[in-house]
Amino acid sequence: MVSEEPLVETFGVAAIVTNCSGHILMHLRDDTPDIEWPGYWSLPSGLAELGETPAEAMARELREETGLTIPLTQRLEFPRRPDGDRVVFFTGHWHGDPTMLPLTEGVKLKFYPPDDLAELLVPPWVMQAVRQLGDSGPLDTPV
């Protein structure tokens, strides 16, 4: 179920968007020292703005980074880590050509099979979420 209540603390959101082959849309981040995870392949993601619900924040981030407006389902919320980070994950489905999306941040968008992510430079939190969600069933199936 998607949370409708705005959270009063800082939190991140990330989307695991799959195509009809079960491949995951990955975002190659800029390789600049002023951002988190520079030069890594990550999920479309970002931080919520004050007063946004997780669903609102994810829809905004996905639209800003990829131009996509698709139905999303909240699937996983990682508990707060000792460093204070908290991430709410969503899943969605889109079958299209990522090279045709209006890339506004980062270097590239590309679909990868989940098993191929281990060969890429990917943040550990992304791998953990993909594994955890994959263990609960197909990533593109709504809860």
Side-chain angles (χ1 to χ4, degrees), residues 104-123:
T104 59
E105 294 179 18
V107 178
K108 180 191 285 190
L109 292 163
K110 185 176 178 181
F111 278 111
Y112 282 97
D115 290 343
D116 289 0
L117 298 184
E119 299 172 18
L120 301 175
L121 189 58
V122 176

Side-chain angles (χ1 to χ4, degrees), residues 66-116:
T66 69
L68 290 175
T69 304
I70 60 173
L72 297 169
T73 302
Q74 184 176 335
R75 293 287 301 266
L76 176 67
E77 180 173 336
F78 281 166
R80 181 174 299 283
R81 297 188 330 217
D83 63 7
D85 287 346
R86 177 176 177 214
V87 181
V88 180
F89 286 87
F90 292 81
T91 57
H93 185 75
W94 179 71
H95 183 71
D97 180 357
T99 64
M100 302 305 292
L101 293 174
L103 185 64
T104 59
E105 294 179 18
V107 178
K108 180 191 285 190
L109 292 163
K110 185 176 178 181
F111 278 111
Y112 282 97
D115 290 343
D116 289 0

Side-chain angles (χ1 to χ4, degrees), residues 23 32 45 63 72 88 133 136 138:
H23 298 178
T32 58
S45 58
R63 189 176 53 253
L72 297 169
V88 180
L133 287 171
S136 66

Side-chain angles (χ1 to χ4, degrees), residues 12-92:
V13 291
I16 299 177
V17 177
T18 56
N19 64 14
C20 61
S21 298
H23 298 178
I24 298 172
L25 184 64
M26 298 296 290
H27 181 218
L28 180 57
R29 298 176 57 79
D30 291 310
D31 193 4
T32 58
D34 60 327
I35 64 170
E36 289 190 45
W37 304 104
Y40 277 67
W41 284 94
S42 191
L43 302 168
S45 58
L47 292 174
E49 294 178 355
L50 184 62
E52 281 184 316
T53 66
E56 291 167 341
M58 189 67 258
R60 176 186 51 76
E61 287 289 346
L62 191 60
R63 189 176 53 253
E64 287 175 1
E65 292 182 7
T66 69
L68 290 175
T69 304
I70 60 173
L72 297 169
T73 302
Q74 184 176 335
R75 293 287 301 266
L76 176 67
E77 180 173 336
F78 281 166
R80 181 174 299 283
R81 297 188 330 217
D83 63 7
D85 287 346
R86 177 176 177 214
V87 181
V88 180
F89 286 87
F90 292 81
T91 57

